[in-house]
Amino acid sequence: MELAKVTSKGQVTIPIEIRKKLGVKNGDKILFVEEAGRIYMLNSSMDALREAQKEFFGEAERVGLKDDDDIMKMIKELREESWAK
């Protein structure tokens, strides 16, 4: 358990061990989420990545991507289409 003090401006220094666990670096944004009467602090970039992963779940199978070769082929085709315009 870590302890931090709130300044008169509402600022808090996040202890180094907590920053390491969250993967938070200078300039990163922190997300505060309330769930079931508790407040959670998250690295906003990591939360956005998790949300994107949830939204994309199953899409590779839906469009027929089975491995890295399929992905590279799709990227090549998309680039060729883009360059043709």
Side-chain angles (χ1 to χ4, degrees):
M1 181 181 293
E2 299 284 344
L3 183 65
K5 183 176 169 183
V6 180
T7 70
S8 61
K9 294 182 179 181
Q11 298 171 327
V12 176
T13 298
I14 303 168
I16 187 75
E17 289 305 314
I18 302 301
R19 290 195 312 258
K20 286 178 183 178
K21 288 178 182 179
L22 288 172
V24 175
K25 298 175 202 72
N26 186 33
D28 285 354
K29 294 186 183 202
I30 301 296
L31 180 65
F32 295 92
V33 178
E34 183 178 1
E35 273 183 19
R38 293 180 180 237
I39 307 290
Y40 296 94
M41 182 172 68
L42 308 168
N43 179 326
S44 66
S45 297
M46 295 304 292
D47 186 62
L49 178 60
R50 271 189 231 106
E51 286 298 315
Q53 286 174 327
K54 278 197 277 186
E55 292 297 321
F56 284 116
F57 182 79
E59 285 300 304
E61 292 86 8
R62 187 183 70 75
V63 296
L65 301 174
K66 296 177 184 75
D67 56 26
D68 290 348
D69 291 334
D70 289 343
I71 294 169
M72 295 306 293
K73 180 181 174 187
M74 184 180 87
I75 290 170
K76 183 178 177 183
E77 289 170 0
L78 290 170
R79 285 181 177 160
E80 288 172 357
E81 286 176 19
S82 177
W83 291 332
K85 290 180 183 180

